[in-house]
Structure formats: structure tokens, C-alpha cells
Amino acid sequence: MRRAQKENLIRGFFCLFALLSIFFLSGIVIVLFKEGLPIFEVAPLGEFLFGKFWYPTYEPPDFGILPLLLGSLWVTLGALIIAVPLGVASAIYIAEAASPKIKEFIKPVIELLAGIPSVVYGFFGMVVVAPLVAKIFNLPVGLNAFTASMLLGIMAIPTITSISEDAISAVPESFKEASYALGANKWETTAKVILPAAAGGISTAIILGMARVIGETITVLMVAGGAAVIPHSFFEPVRTMTATIAAEMGETVAGSAHFHALFAIAIVLFVITLSFNIIADLLTQRFRRRLG
Amino acid sequence: MRSRKVKEFVGFAILRLATAFILLALFIILYFITVRGSKVVNWQFLTQMPREGMTAGGILPAILGTFYLVTCSICFALPLGVAAAIYLTEYAKQGRLIRIIRIGINNLAGVPSVVFGLFGLAVFVKFFGFGISILSGGLTLGILILPTIIRASEEALLVVPQSFREASLALGATKWQTICKVVLPNAISGILTGSILGVGRAAGETAPILFTAVTFYTMRLPRSIFSEVQALPYHIYALMTEGTHPEAQVPIAYGTALVLLFLVLGIDLIAIIIRNRARREKW
């Protein structure tokens, strides 16, 4: 009898911890909405999302996040142009062409690339990449969307490579054998059989890479230049949603409209990254089902 | 016939080139920071206080600050996360609710870290009144790595074969004895790997501690968990964006970046080694 009681007690204890974890994590959503929603009394949702001016400290203030939204979109797009081809190509190489020895070396190295803190990327961007970009393109300063995209692209590569590699390795051996049996060589098999079969998993990888880039804060804060205006070219300074929160939160008064506006930006970010993650989840499930 | 072979050769050459390019990028980053950083890093740099408005001296407060923050976060997240994972995999009835919770936890792992920073600001700094402090920052980092730890622990627990549990229960062991003596020992390396990677992440994050824990100018070491601290990642950021003497601050930033890189990559490497060793010993 006492043994059963003890068992129940332990079970209750673990249940409590699980509930506590869920409580803290759901707390994030609750706090975001509680602190963010009041801004829509000042600036209606449409005005907030599509307003072209972000002047939160003017009188009267403007809370239009379109420039920030476009800033985030701009650098994310730029980063993907760099990260997708390199990430997917290296994934194919690792999964299909590399010898076991090279594989054993490259995989941890790419994990290390993922482990470099974003502030280090930002620092490297400021002291090495930005001056180089300024020199090559004849600009007064190199802190702009282009530099930010390059760094974010490198940062997204590990995510894209490792998830794509898993997807490619998950393609059944029988697919390859069937292709070889039909007389295809290794390249044809890779390009026409393995890649299409792994496409679902690779799209998951790209979406998760996007989620990583759009949420990146300190790197863009350091290298993107920081102008909260709608960008017209890659060589202009931009400001992302994340950088705005990080740069302005320290100066706001808790409870002010500006404070609520920054939380509302966080809601937008949260919704974007959450939908990316959910899409990625759905794609993965479909991918698994298709491969049986 | 020949064009097919040429195509194959060129195709794989491009793949090889792309991979080489990634390795090159990593090498360049490490090279610059190691070479320029090692010029300033020495024993004094690691053990002295900063002097003359952050333009001279060492980075001891930042090193200690990061140590305190990470310790605080792991003390909070590790017991909570592992216990939650044990409940979810071993005790909870696997159904719709658990699936939704699992999806929720997975997705929170992808939420931008700056959002966690806002949460920490609203809850720990303001609501609980901990102020800008080690405690607020540590808890914020703890919540940031909580989903990662839960997920890694769950994965580690799930790969322990069901037959192990059945064998233990058949011998008359209770559920708890089974978890404690059979399941956990077999899952420990996976849990450890996930947690160590969490530590590495917590040590390198800047955005979550930006408005919950850090300060740039402080001449004192923290006295309690309610003190503001310096931290390595924030120190790099502040040296590059604040202050008026870039010619003196940039070298210190290089040194700090080297120390942070060494710390974080060292932690990650330990995790990778543990995982690779465990993989070789699997049933």
C-alpha cells in the first residue's frame, strides 16, 4: 500500500513539473498579447501593419510597422538567396557524395557553425565584412541590407544543411537502386530521383532557416544600419522588427503606447515564426507519409 | 555518353565547391577572431576589472556575469525540463492533448529570442519586481532553453526500447524504479547532450538579457542575484555600439569575442563528443 502511495506521489510530482513548464511557456503567449493588444486602441490593426511611418517618439506618434516588416522581409530574402543554394548543395554532397570519413568531419563542423553566437557574427560583420562591402561597392559605410543578408545567410546555412541532409538520407535505398537499374548514373539519380523525393523535407529545412533568419536580432541590430524607412535597394540601411524591439525597448516607459507597440511587433514576429514552424511540421508529416 | 559523364563530374564538383565555401566561411570567421583576439587575451585580460571607461583593463566582470547567468538558467531549466519530459513520455496517457502540448513546445523552440526577452522584461523584471538582475536574466534564459531541453530529453527517453521497461516491470519493479534504474541511465547521454547544447546557447545569447540583466558600465562585481551584471555577448555589442573610443574598444571586443567563442564552441564540442561516444555504445 505504501509503495503505491509513493508511486502516486512521484507521479504527481512529475505532473506538477510538466504543468509548470507548460504554464511558463504558455505564459509567453499570454504576456505578449496582454502587453501588445492595447496598441490597437491607438493605432488600428490595418494602420499598424500597413502604416508607412514608424515615428514612435513624435507628437503625435506614428506606429506603422511596414518599413520594419519590409526590412525584415528584405534581409530574409537576401539571406535565403545565399543560404538555400549553399545549404542544399552541401546537404546533397554530405548525404550522397562524401566518403564516411569526410562526413564524420563535416557534420560536426557545420554544427559548430550553428553554435557561433549571433553577436560574434554581428561583430565580424562590423569589423570585417562591412568595410569590405563599403570598399567594393564604393559606399560611405558598409552597414546595410546587403551586409546583413550575407551574414544572416551564413547563419542560416547550418539549419538548412542539417535538416536537408536528414531528408535526403531518409530517401529509401530502393529508390536509388531502381534508378541505377534503369541505367542512370549517380548524378542523374541524385538530381532526378533523390532530390524530388526529398523535396518536402528540403522545403521544411528552408522554412525553418527562414524562421531562424527573421528572428535574428543582435546581428541585424549591429550590421543592418538601422534606418526605419522603406528600403529601395539592398545597399540601403534597413531596420528589422527584431532590431527595433531590441534598440527601442530600453528607452520606453512601461505602459506607454510605444511600449505596447513594441510588444505588438513581437506578436507579429511570433505569429510569423509560429506559422513557419507549423507549415514546416505539416510538410514533414506529409514527407514522411509519402516515403512510407 | 561522354556528355553524361561530364555532367556528372561538373555537378558533383559544384556540390563540393559549395561545401568548401561553407567551410571557408567558418574558417575565415574563426581565423580573424582568433588571430586578432589572441593579441589582447592574456591572464590579466581574463582576471582584471575594466579601466578608464571600458577602454583598458580586463573583462573579469563579463566572464563572471555570463557564468552566473548560465548557472541560474540551467538550475531553473534542467530540473523543470527533464521532469516535464519524463512526465510527458513515461506517465502521461498518449493522446490528443499530449500531442498538442508537444507541438506547442516544439514550436516555442523556434520563437525568436528577443520575444523571450520581452517576456522576461514584463514578467520577471516588472511583474515579480526582480528588476534588471542576474535572477531575471537567468530565468529568461532558462525559459528560452526550456523547450530545447524538454525536446532533447523526450527524444532520449523515447529511443529507450519499450522492451527494457517491460522487462523491468516484469521483474516486479515499480514504475518509478523502472524509470530511475532502467530508463534514465539509458537516456542520460541524450539528455546531457541536449542540456549542454542549451548551456552553450544560453551563454551566447544577447537579445534575451538585453533588457533583463545587463549593464555596460559597472565598476563592481555582482553581489547577489539581484545585481545587474556584465555579460560576454552584451559586452561585445556594447563595445562596438557605445562609448567614444573605438580604437581602444575594438581590440577589447576582439578579445571578448575570442573568449566567448572559445567558451561556446568548447561547450558544444563537449556535447558532440558525448553524443558520438553514446552512439557507438548503443544497444
Side-chain angles (χ1 to χ4, degrees), chain A residues 3-50:
Chain A
R3 202 163 118 152
Q5 261 170 2
K6 194 178 152 202
E7 284 296 311
N8 274 336
L9 206 69
I10 292 169
R11 187 196 160 95
F13 169 80
F14 280 116
C15 184
L16 180 78
F17 270 65
L19 285 175
L20 218 60
S21 295
I22 293 159
F23 169 74
F24 273 118
L25 295 174
S26 49
I28 293 174
V29 186
I30 294 164
V31 167
L32 276 190
F33 280 88
K34 186 182 156 279
E35 297 290 350
L37 289 180
I39 190 63
F40 299 125
E41 289 161 20
V42 183
L45 184 61
E47 211 174 285
F48 182 77
L49 285 179
F50 302 111

Side-chain angles (χ1 to χ4, degrees), chain A residues 8-278:
Chain A
N8 274 336
L9 206 69
I10 292 169
R11 187 196 160 95
F13 169 80
F14 280 116
C15 184
L16 180 78
F17 270 65
L19 285 175
L20 218 60
S21 295
I22 293 159
F23 169 74
F24 273 118
L25 295 174
S26 49
I28 293 174
V29 186
I30 294 164
V31 167
L32 276 190
F33 280 88
K34 186 182 156 279
E35 297 290 350
L37 289 180
I39 190 63
F40 299 125
E41 289 161 20
V42 183
L45 184 61
E47 211 174 285
F48 182 77
L49 285 179
F50 302 111
K52 289 195 183 110
F53 303 101
W54 174 258
Y55 296 123
T57 52
Y58 280 26
E59 201 52 56
D62 277 309
F63 294 112
I65 65 163
L66 191 64
L68 316 175
L69 212 64
L70 288 176
S72 285
L73 217 67
W74 214 241
V75 291
T76 305
L77 216 72
L80 287 181
I81 292 173
I82 294 165
V84 171
L86 287 175
V88 175
S90 63
I92 302 170
Y93 174 73
I94 295 169
E96 294 301 319
S99 67
K101 243 192 183 149
I102 293 177
K103 213 164 154 171
E104 210 163 293
F105 166 72
I106 293 181
K107 282 183 79 167
V109 166
I110 286 182
E111 273 182 86
L112 285 187
L113 196 61
I116 297 178
S118 41
V119 69
V120 173
Y121 280 105
F123 171 66
F124 177 76
M126 278 180 94
V127 294
V128 178
V129 182
L132 208 65
V133 167
K135 209 167 156 191
I136 292 171
F137 297 101
N138 236 331
L139 302 162
V141 272
L143 302 175
N144 52 34
F146 180 77
T147 310
S149 296
M150 263 173 47
L151 289 159
L152 291 174
I154 296 174
M155 295 170 79
I157 286 174
T159 309
I160 296 181
T161 302
S162 56
I163 300 172
S164 302
E165 200 252 327
D166 287 344
I168 295 165
S169 301
V171 175
E173 204 63 28
S174 58
F175 284 33
K176 282 181 231 173
E177 283 158 8
S179 166
Y180 288 142
L182 290 171
N185 64 26
K186 192 161 180 170
W187 175 252
E188 289 157 347
T189 306
T190 305
K192 298 202 178 132
V193 177
I194 297 172
L195 266 190
I202 293 173
S203 356
T204 305
I206 294 170
I207 292 167
L208 290 178
M210 264 167 89
R212 160 107 212 247
V213 169
I214 213 160
E216 195 47 61
T217 309
I218 214 78
T219 312
V220 281
L221 187 59
M222 290 170 90
V223 301
V229 289
I230 294 175
H232 296 284
S233 100
F234 264 109
F235 294 101
E236 280 173 30
V238 291
R239 177 169 231 184
T240 63
M241 294 185 282
T242 50
T244 307
I245 297 173
E248 294 175 11
M249 202 34 139
E251 294 148 23
T252 59
V253 184
S256 65
H258 190 186
F259 180 85
H260 293 311
L262 294 179
F263 271 90
I265 297 179
I267 297 178
V268 175
L269 262 175
F270 179 80
V271 170
I272 293 175
T273 46
L274 195 69
S275 31
F276 280 179
N277 278 304
I278 290 172

Side-chain angles (χ1 to χ4, degrees), chain B residues 28-104:
Chain B
I28 291 173
I29 296 172
L30 294 182
Y31 173 84
F32 266 95
I33 288 170
T34 312
V35 167
R36 296 204 186 154
S38 59
K39 282 183 194 145
V40 287
V41 175
N42 52 36
W43 186 244
Q44 276 82 19
F45 187 74
L46 298 176
T47 55
Q48 281 183 357
M49 299 291 288
R51 289 193 313 271
E52 293 160 40
M54 305 294 150
T55 57
I59 56 164
L60 179 66
I63 295 175
L64 283 178
T66 288
F67 176 74
Y68 293 144
L69 284 171
V70 168
T71 310
C72 183
S73 72
I74 205 74
C75 286
F76 169 71
L78 191 61
L80 203 58
V82 174
I86 290 176
Y87 183 79
L88 290 176
T89 53
E90 303 296 323
Y91 285 106
K93 216 190 236 164
Q94 305 300 316
R96 204 190 193 110
L97 183 67
I98 293 298
R99 238 191 85 212
I100 292 170
I101 289 172
R102 199 163 276 155
I103 291 171

